[in-house]
């Protein structure tokens, strides 16, 4: 990676007439050299050759342009810098322990920073893979940004035809469908898209063409595939375009494959993205249905128009709908839509945690830099003599400073190079943690931009810590040189003051990091303790989609699920089994408007509930708690009275003062059958773990034709097993295959892993912050130890005198430790102040713990104080053992 | 009086002479390493060759594209008359200077 970058630089700086021959010759000499060296040796040699080539070539170009200067072997500025660099490398090689320490510390700091930066870059900075993405916006309800905003087709048509601020609108909905034919059947997420969607997004196909208006208007039997699906199922063959495949029991012609980066905007928020796109074929009646809120809309804004202007224009249009009777006036903004710019929509909730992580990791880098400054200062102290000699022999002060800066720069670059390796490893770990809340994780790479960042970080770091020794060299005083006999009582007061300030800064930084990590850690612990309302242990889940081809009617679908559940429940090792519309915590359930019997309709009220449908044994299988009435029974069938179970929240919302059991409601306002409430269960956490409970209703799957007008084909299976749920996966597949070999089971996984991935975002932030805090603690401990050790060594003569004058060894120990704790105390006070002032930033990430949590604010300083005690106790013991005679004689 | 060559330029000039028809950067570099014990980078050799070329001591010619490895042309160098003359003069000057001096390998005299 580094060699690739260096090679490109060599190519760029080589004069065109020499370029090709030079690169060929470089390759040839690498090959020859590789034969006589180890692979690591050859790689190092190659890197060195490329780096020095850049300098040589720059010098060559310069000499060509200034032939007059070529009149003698005078070195150019570049050559002088190169010589300085070689000198610095030689010096650094002579003290390998120091070099390893400095480079290692920097590598940790720069590596962690680079890794987080590449996340920030991929998630927040990289433009979305659409044409001119800054002009794209989701049509979204600004009052409820976290919930999906579903739109009806007539609404979308109205937005498009009567606004000036929007040039195009595309919309789509998602569905599940089975891909059959080549290989194992597979359940896919499909996007059903409008005629203008691909045009609005402005992305050309990688092969073939995207869907166009004519495909949709003509309801053509065509499909466009995602790159991933094309690779996985069709081996990436270009001949796929024009072939026919079977999707959702229909044969469709593949007309195109989209680029690997292409996603529909909603896919960035979903851990199961759409993988194939079909024309949305809508009958005329559906196109005019104002109540069918099933679509997501994305708009391309007129250049120069702000999102607010779009919102204002939409507001005007929405008012006419009330006038025309398409919608009730509900007096609030529940139905208002505005434009939510796509970059903000995609970054969404990920922005805050990433910015916090980046700030935290910058703190770690600062602490690392402080340690290197300390190391360099110690080294500069030791080289004081050398520097004095050189100065007295006539070395220019500028040359000495340049030498010091060069050395820092070399260290920083070394740190950056090793740090890139660290970043690479760290990224692998980060991606393996799979934070569900982070969109675009797949796009994270260490590319040129990230390299540039690492180089910049190194440069800034070098300037930061190179300034110390350079300053010291620049103060070299020949009078000192003559006077200095290597012995004074307290040399370098300013020097020690710098060390103290650095340690105080390190400790302050660490306090902030430790507090942030502890708060997030406690949040995570609280989240794990939340009572979900169901028991996720020993439950196996899977997704299933019943196609129309062999099961054309609702009856057949209901029959299929009943037979499957029966067979599963009879299988050994199964306690009970059921199917549910949407597995809790797997995705947003969505709500459905209802009409409550004998309930006066009020203007600002829109009775609704999150809707689920299940087979009878769902509550038993999930171990949900029934608080009133009864659960579904096997005797509730397609032909018996229609029944429903509600959660407590819904029962309380619509029957606040009376018993909900025996009451009736119906789905929507259309003439469906009344449904009788037979039971109430305790609230469960369905959409997310931290949400307040929402109204929820459970209908019976077999009664759907009467309650909503047709049985659903896609369901999630839940199977409670006696042992390890995954051990039943094979049997589940066998039973499903036995019923219908063409039916794919998707996402077979334990319910516990579903719950666990719902916690992945807070776990990600907490894990990272905890590791940064740990790193900060270690680095701060090293820094404290270094400073205290130096303090002890410079004060040894003084301590010797104290001992000789009768001070006890315990009091010397106390003196030194007291000094260390004093520094720590100051750092802790500063850190606490900063943490208290910035605590609000964390608030939105916390759950069950306040940003100014007292326990945390007591524990973190205690940890730091302990660290400072240990780090100063070691030098303090050494100080207490000082032999007064020896020190006095020296 | 023409100005002197840098040590590397002189070594390169001599290496071009020694290698005759096989003088391009890779063997020149190895020749200098083997004979003079100095390890330099390919790009430094290019720098020296460029200086020699600009002073009219050597000339470059691209070979026919080679059949192997991408088949690009190599940049071969030959001495010009001026270059051969320079070497002869350097050699005579050096021999005159060193004539009659015995160097003891132990460093003493």
């Amino acid at each position: 990676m580094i060699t690739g970058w260096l090679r490109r630089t060599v190519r760029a700086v080589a004069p065109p007439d020499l370029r090709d021959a030079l690169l060929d010759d470089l390759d040839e000499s690498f090959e020859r050299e590789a034969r006589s060296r180890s692979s690591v040796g050859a790689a190092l040699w190659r890197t060195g050759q490329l780096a020095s080539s850049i300098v040589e070539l720059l010098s060559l170009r310069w000499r060509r342009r200034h032939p007059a200067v070529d009149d003698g072997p005078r070195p150019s500025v570049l050559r002088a810098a190169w010589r300085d660099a070689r000198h610095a490398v030689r010096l650094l090689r002579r003290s390998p322990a120091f070099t390893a320490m400095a480079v290692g510390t920097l590598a940790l700091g720069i590596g962690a920073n680079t890794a987080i930066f590449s996340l920030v870059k991929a998630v927040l900075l990289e433009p979305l893979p659409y044409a001119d993405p800054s002009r794209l916006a989701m049509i979204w309800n600004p009052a409820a940004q976290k919930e999906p905003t579903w739109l009806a087709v007539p609404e979308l048509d109205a937005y498009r035809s009567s606004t000036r601020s929007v040039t195009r609108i595309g919309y789509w909905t998602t569905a599940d469908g089975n891909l059959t034919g080549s290989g194992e059947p597979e359940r896919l997420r499909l996007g059903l898209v409008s005629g203008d969607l691909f045009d609005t997004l402005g992305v050309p196909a990688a092969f073939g063409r995207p869907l166009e208006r004519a495909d949709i208007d003509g309801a053509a039997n065509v499909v466009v595939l995602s790159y991933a699906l094309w690779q996985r199922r069709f081996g990436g063959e270009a001949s796929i375009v024009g072939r026919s495949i079977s999707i959702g029991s229909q044969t469709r012609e593949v007309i195109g494959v989209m680029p690997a980066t292409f996603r529909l905007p909603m896919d960035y928020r979903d851990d199961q993205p759409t993988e194939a796109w079909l024309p949305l074929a809508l009958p005329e009646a559906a196109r005019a249905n104002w109540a069918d809120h099933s679509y997501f809309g994305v708009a391309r804004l007129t250049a120069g128009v702000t999102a607010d202007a779009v919102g204002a224009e939409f507001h005007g249009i929405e008012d006419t709908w009330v006038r025309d009777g398409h919608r009730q006036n509900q007096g609030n903004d529940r139905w208002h839509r505005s434009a939510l710019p796509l970059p903000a929509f995609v970054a969404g909730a990920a922005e805050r945690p990433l910015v916090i992580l980046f700030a935290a990791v910058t703190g770690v880098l600062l602490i690392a830099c402080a340690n290197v400054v300390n190391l360099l200062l110690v080294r500069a102290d030791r080289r004081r003599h050398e520097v004095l000699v050189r100065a007295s022999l006539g070395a220019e002060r500028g040359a000495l400073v340049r030498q010091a800066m060069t050395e820092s720069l070399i260290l920083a670059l070394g740190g950056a190079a090793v740090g890139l390796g660290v970043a690479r490893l760290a990224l692998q770990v980060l991606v393996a943690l799979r934070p569900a809340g982070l969109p675009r994780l797949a796009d994270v790479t260490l590319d040129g931009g990230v390299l540039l960042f690492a180089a910049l970080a190194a440069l800034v770091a070098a300037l930061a810590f190179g300034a110390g020794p350079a300053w010291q060299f620049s103060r070299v005083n020949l009078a000192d040189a003559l006077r200095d006999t290597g012995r004074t009582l307290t040399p370098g007061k300013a020097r020690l003051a710098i060390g103290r300030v650095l340690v105080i800064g390190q400790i302050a930084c660490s306090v902030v990091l430790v507090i942030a990590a502890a708060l997030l850690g406690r949040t995570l612990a609280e989240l794990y303790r939340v009572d979900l309302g169901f028991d996720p242990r020993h439950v196996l889940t899977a997704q299933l989609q019943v196609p129309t081809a062999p099961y054309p009617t609702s009856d057949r679908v209901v029959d299929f699920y009943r037979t499957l559940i029966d067979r599963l429940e009879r299988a050994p090792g199964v306690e009970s089994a059921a199917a549910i519309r949407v597995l809790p915590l797997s995705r947003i359930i969505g709500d459905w408007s209802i009409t409550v019997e004998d309930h006066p309709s009020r203007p600002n009220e829109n009775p609704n509930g999150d809707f689920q449908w299940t087979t009878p044994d769902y509550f038993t299988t999930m171990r949900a708690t029934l608080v009133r009435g009864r659960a579904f029974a096997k005797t509730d069938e397609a032909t018996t009275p229609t029944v429903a179970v509600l959660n407590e929240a819904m029962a309380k919302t619509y029957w606040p003062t009376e018993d909900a059991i025996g009451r009736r409601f119906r789905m929507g306002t259309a003439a469906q059958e009344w449904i009788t409430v037979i039971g109430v269960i305790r609230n469960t956490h369905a959409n997310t773990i931290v949400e307040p409970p929402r109204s929820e209703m459970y209908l019976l799957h077999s009664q759907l034709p009467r309650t909503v007008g047709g049985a659903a084909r896609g369901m999630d299976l839940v199977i409670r097993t006696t042992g390890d749920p995954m051990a039943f996966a094979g049997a589940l597949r066998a039973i499903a295959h036995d019923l219908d070999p063409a039916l794919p089971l998707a996402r077979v996984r334990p319910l516990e892993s579903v719950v666990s991935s719902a916690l992945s975002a807070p776990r990600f932030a907490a894990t990272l912050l905890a590791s940064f805090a740990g790193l900060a603690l270690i680095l701060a401990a090293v820094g404290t130890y270094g400073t205290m050790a130096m303090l002890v060594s410079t004060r040894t003569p003084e301590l010797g005198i104290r001992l000789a004058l009768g001070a006890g060894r315990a009091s010397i120990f106390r003196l030194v430790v007291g000094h260390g704790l004093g520094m720590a105390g100051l750092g802790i006070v500063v850190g606490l102040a900063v943490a208290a002032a910035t605590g609000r930033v964390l608030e939105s990430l916390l759950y069950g713990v306040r940003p100014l949590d007292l326990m945390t604010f007591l524990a973190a300083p205690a940890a730091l104080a302990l660290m400072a005690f240990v780090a100063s106790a070691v030098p303090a013991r050494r100080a207490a053992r000082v032999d007064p005679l020896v020190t006095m004689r020296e | 009086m023409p100005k002197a060559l840098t040590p590397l330029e002189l070594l390169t000039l001599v290496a071009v002479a020694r290698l005759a028809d096989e003088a391009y950067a890779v063997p020149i570099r190895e020749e200098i390493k083997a004979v003079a014990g100095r390890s330099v980078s390919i790009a430094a050799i290019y720098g020296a060759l460029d200086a020699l070329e600009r002073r009219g001591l050597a000339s470059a010619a691209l070979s026919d594209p080679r059949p192997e490895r991408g088949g690009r042309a190599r940049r071969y160098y030959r001495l010009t008359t001026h270059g051969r003359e320079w070497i002869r003069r350097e050699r005579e000057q050096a021999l005159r200077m060193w004539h009659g001096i015995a160097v003891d390998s132990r460093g003493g005299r």
Side-chain angles (χ1 to χ4, degrees):
Chain A
M1 180 181 58
I2 296 172
T3 47
W5 182 80
L6 285 172
R7 208 187 139 85
R8 280 195 293 279
T9 313
V10 168
R11 169 174 282 281
V13 298
D17 56 323
L18 302 180
R19 186 180 296 142
D20 287 348
L22 170 68
L23 285 170
D24 265 13
D25 284 350
L26 273 172
D27 286 340
E28 190 181 336
S29 58
F30 290 151
E31 276 167 30
R32 294 194 184 189
E33 210 56 39
R35 269 178 252 140
S36 61
R37 289 172 190 259
S38 70
S39 59
V40 177
L44 283 176
W45 185 82
R46 184 189 183 114
T47 312
Q49 283 283 306
L50 286 169
S52 64
S53 294
I54 295 170
V55 178
E56 294 287 355
L57 288 172
L58 286 173
S59 155
L60 189 157
R61 292 191 80 132
W62 190 80
R63 274 180 294 150
R64 275 190 178 181
R65 209 162 331 137
H66 305 90
V69 189
D70 215 10
D71 276 350
R74 194 192 315 163
S76 69
V77 176
L78 262 172
R79 276 185 179 280
W82 184 239
R83 218 178 32 208
D84 273 353
R86 287 172 69 128
H87 180 62
V89 168
R90 265 199 303 276
L91 281 179
L92 290 173
R93 271 163 80 167
R94 239 183 273 156
S95 42
F98 161 81
T99 308
M101 189 79 179
V103 168
T105 306
L106 281 175
L108 282 179
I110 294 180
N113 248 33
T114 307
I116 297 299
F117 174 75
S118 51
L119 279 188
V120 170
K121 178 165 168 288
V123 178
L124 302 180
L125 304 182
E126 205 69 58
L128 290 164
Y130 306 119
D132 199 358
S134 60
R135 276 176 54 208
L136 286 172
M138 289 298 286
I139 302 177
W140 213 252
N141 177 2
Q145 288 207 6
K146 284 187 180 170
E147 289 176 33
T149 297
W150 302 96
L151 305 157
V153 175
E155 295 176 339
L156 285 156
D157 287 341
Y159 286 138
R160 179 171 45 194
S161 57
S162 31
T163 46
R164 290 157 175 277
S165 51
V166 164
T167 60
R168 253 190 217 108
I169 287 180
Y171 55 91
W172 73 99
T173 188
T174 57
D176 291 308
N178 295 337
L179 175 66
T180 47
S182 57
E184 279 286 295
E186 182 179 349
R187 179 173 136 149
L188 293 179
R189 292 290 283 169
L190 306 175
L192 311 179
V193 312
S194 78
D196 284 342
L197 180 65
F198 282 89
D199 205 20
T200 306
L201 297 175
V203 185
F207 291 97
R209 61 176 179 85
L211 289 164
E212 288 161 8
R213 172 165 276 284
D215 301 317
I216 285 86
D217 290 347
N221 262 335
V222 292
V223 59
V224 170
L225 305 182
S226 78
Y227 197 88
L229 179 64
W230 173 58
Q231 288 286 335
R232 188 173 72 235
R233 292 296 300 230
F234 306 103
E237 286 172 39
S239 65
I240 186 72
V241 173
R243 249 162 66 188
S244 288
I245 63 171
S246 172
I247 279 192
S249 340
Q250 249 192 329
T251 306
R252 291 175 177 273
E253 184 194 334
V254 178
I255 57 165
V257 175
M258 293 307 284
T261 52
F262 179 79
R263 255 150 277 189
L264 293 186
M266 281 304 285
D267 290 342
Y268 287 108
R269 288 197 171 186
D270 206 324
D271 65 335
Q272 227 188 329
T274 55
E275 292 201 290
W277 302 288
L278 324 175
L280 174 65
L282 280 178
E284 211 42 52
R287 292 196 62 88
N289 186 348
W290 285 82
D292 179 17
H293 291 101
S294 307
Y295 305 93
F296 294 114
V298 62
R300 183 164 285 281
L301 310 186
T302 313
V305 165
T306 65
D308 285 345
V310 179
E313 213 175 356
F314 281 5
H315 231 308
I317 299 166
E318 288 152 6
D319 287 343
T320 68
W321 298 344
V322 175
R323 209 176 49 223
D324 297 347
H326 297 307
R327 185 193 284 175
Q328 282 183 324
N329 180 10
Q330 299 186 322
N332 55 19
D333 273 347
R334 190 187 143 82
W335 291 104
H336 172 53
R337 282 69 166 264
S338 181
L340 177 57
L342 212 49
F345 170 79
V346 171
E351 187 168 354
R352 173 68 58 104
L354 274 182
V355 169
I356 288 173
L357 283 177
F358 194 60
V361 84
T362 307
V364 173
L365 181 59
L366 284 180
I367 295 176
C369 281
N371 270 0
V372 177
V373 174
N374 244 334
L375 282 171
L376 279 170
L377 285 176
V378 171
R379 186 175 154 81
D381 273 353
R382 294 216 186 104
R383 274 171 48 198
R384 216 174 140 77
H385 199 66
E386 175 210 327
V387 171
L388 287 173
V389 170
R390 281 176 65 183
S392 59
L393 288 177
E396 281 169 40
R397 200 153 291 181
L400 289 175
V401 170
R402 205 179 58 213
Q403 182 63 46
M405 288 311 287
T406 308
E407 199 175 306
S408 321
L409 197 63
I410 299 263
L411 280 179
L413 287 178
V418 182
L420 280 174
V422 172
R424 205 172 181 159
L425 280 179
L427 273 184
Q428 279 168 7
V429 175
L430 293 186
V431 174
L433 281 171
R434 259 178 215 295
L438 268 193
R440 312 176 76 188
L441 199 62
D443 309 334
V444 172
T445 49
L446 289 180
D447 57 10
V450 174
L451 278 176
L452 192 69
F453 173 82
L456 269 180
L459 197 68
V460 172
L463 287 177
F465 61 66
W471 165 77
Q472 223 169 6
F473 283 173
S474 71
R475 281 175 67 249
V476 162
N477 183 339
L478 282 187
D480 277 355
L482 299 173
R483 220 183 306 123
D484 191 29
T485 56
R487 171 167 174 187
T488 44
L489 274 183
T490 47
K493 262 196 184 137
R495 157 78 197 81
L496 284 174
I498 295 180
R500 269 197 292 272
V501 168
L502 290 176
V503 168
I504 292 169
Q506 284 186 319
I507 290 182
C509 246
S510 306
V511 169
V512 177
L513 284 177
V514 168
I515 287 181
L519 288 175
L520 286 189
R522 289 198 50 192
T523 294
L524 192 60
E526 288 296 320
L527 288 174
Y528 273 110
R529 263 215 301 269
V530 165
D531 180 4
L532 298 172
F534 59 88
D535 179 2
R537 288 168 301 170
H538 299 295
V539 175
L540 184 66
T541 76
Q543 294 183 343
L544 193 61
Q545 177 77 20
V546 178
T548 41
Y551 312 92
T553 61
S554 286
D555 291 353
R556 296 288 303 275
V557 176
V558 169
D559 261 357
F560 172 83
Y561 275 108
R562 186 189 297 122
T563 318
L564 175 64
I565 299 293
D566 272 354
R567 290 218 193 161
L568 286 173
E569 290 197 317
R570 278 204 308 269
V574 173
E575 280 182 14
S576 64
I580 174 86
R581 181 180 154 252
V582 176
L583 207 57
L585 301 178
S586 68
R587 59 186 156 103
I588 302 286
I589 314 276
D591 54 33
W592 195 308
S593 297
I594 59 169
T595 308
V596 179
E597 195 180 27
D598 301 332
H599 186 81
S601 118
R602 290 187 215 103
N604 284 348
E605 194 188 47
N606 167 40
N608 70 82
D610 283 3
F611 63 110
Q612 287 276 32
W613 38 72
T614 78
T615 58
D617 283 341
Y618 177 70
F619 302 111
T620 330
T621 308
M622 297 293 277
R623 299 218 168 118
T625 317
L626 190 72
V627 284
R628 299 194 47 76
R630 67 172 179 92
F632 296 128
K634 299 257 188 221
T635 48
D636 295 315
E637 282 186 36
T639 49
T640 59
T642 50
V643 289
V645 171
L646 311 180
N647 71 350
E648 282 181 295
M650 182 149 181
K652 207 173 279 170
T653 306
Y654 298 108
W655 295 276
T657 54
E658 57 236 285
D659 189 356
I661 306 292
R663 297 303 183 133
R664 303 201 302 172
F665 67 94
R666 64 182 168 209
M667 304 298 284
T669 47
Q672 305 291 358
E673 281 187 35
W674 288 108
I675 305 167
T676 309
V677 178
I678 55 165
V680 176
I681 58 154
R682 226 178 64 207
N683 295 332
T684 60
H685 287 265
N687 286 333
T688 61
I689 291 187
V690 293
E691 69 179 345
R694 291 168 57 92
S695 293
E696 243 186 331
M697 55 192 168
Y698 296 84
L699 308 181
L700 202 53
H701 184 245
S702 57
Q703 295 178 341
L704 287 182
R706 291 159 65 200
T707 51
V708 301
R713 297 174 174 278
M715 301 262 268
D716 285 330
L717 299 176
V718 286
I719 303 153
R720 182 162 291 278
T721 57
T722 47
D724 171 19
M726 278 317 277
F728 187 70
L732 167 63
R733 284 184 199 283
I735 291 170
H737 194 264
D738 192 38
L739 265 180
D740 184 342
L743 278 187
L745 281 173
R747 310 200 101 191
V748 179
R749 54 186 177 158
L751 188 53
E752 278 188 306
S753 81
V754 179
V755 174
S756 165
S757 53
L759 285 174
S760 69
R763 193 165 50 225
F764 181 73
T767 313
L768 278 188
L769 259 186
S771 30
F772 295 158
L775 205 57
L777 270 180
I778 294 172
L779 291 174
V782 171
T784 310
Y785 169 80
T787 300
M788 292 311 294
M790 174 147 50
L791 185 86
V792 166
S793 78
T794 54
R795 283 176 69 177
T796 300
E798 176 212 329
L799 296 174
I801 293 172
R802 281 175 186 257
L803 280 168
L805 293 177
R809 293 192 184 277
S811 77
I812 295 289
F813 182 84
R814 274 201 304 276
L815 180 81
V816 176
V817 167
H819 193 96
L821 286 181
M823 286 194 310
L826 210 54
I828 287 170
V829 170
V830 174
L832 284 179
V834 174
T838 56
R840 298 252 154 247
V841 180
L842 273 181
E843 197 160 23
S844 66
L845 300 188
L846 299 182
Y847 176 80
V849 53
R850 282 169 307 125
L852 293 178
D853 180 58
L854 187 64
M855 269 280 289
T856 312
F857 272 68
L858 288 178
L864 264 297
L866 184 68
M867 180 281 288
F869 176 78
V870 174
S872 30
V874 180
R877 270 176 48 132
R878 205 181 306 143
R881 278 203 303 253
V882 159
D883 183 343
L885 283 178
V886 174
T887 55
M888 303 289 280
R889 220 181 291 129
E890 263 179 6
Chain B
M1 169 75 196
K3 73 168 185 134
L5 296 177
T6 68
L8 180 62
E9 283 163 7
L10 185 57
L11 285 173
T12 308
L13 187 71
V14 177
V16 171
R18 291 171 68 104
L19 286 164
D21 285 345
E22 275 305 308
Y24 66 101
V26 178
I28 292 174
R29 182 181 160 274
E30 290 182 355
E31 188 77 5
I32 291 176
K33 193 177 177 187
V35 178
R38 243 189 98 174
S39 185
V40 289
S41 69
I42 290 285
I45 300 286
Y46 267 84
L49 287 169
D50 196 56
L52 295 179
E53 201 181 346
R54 275 183 292 119
R55 297 180 62 162
L57 299 177
S59 63
L62 289 180
S63 71
D64 293 334
R66 282 166 292 146
E68 85 278 17
R69 254 207 323 129
R72 273 199 292 235
R74 262 180 193 151
R75 206 174 159 86
Y76 281 98
Y77 287 83
R78 311 191 74 124
L79 293 190
T80 58
T81 329
H82 186 35
R84 272 194 293 278
E85 174 64 18
W86 188 287
I87 283 194
R88 195 185 52 75
R89 226 180 33 233
E90 285 274 358
R91 185 183 133 87
E92 282 174 2
Q93 198 180 340
L95 284 177
R96 273 200 306 276
M97 277 303 282
W98 290 104
H99 185 73
I101 291 189
V103 181
D104 190 324
S105 61
R106 282 189 307 271
R109 240 184 301 176

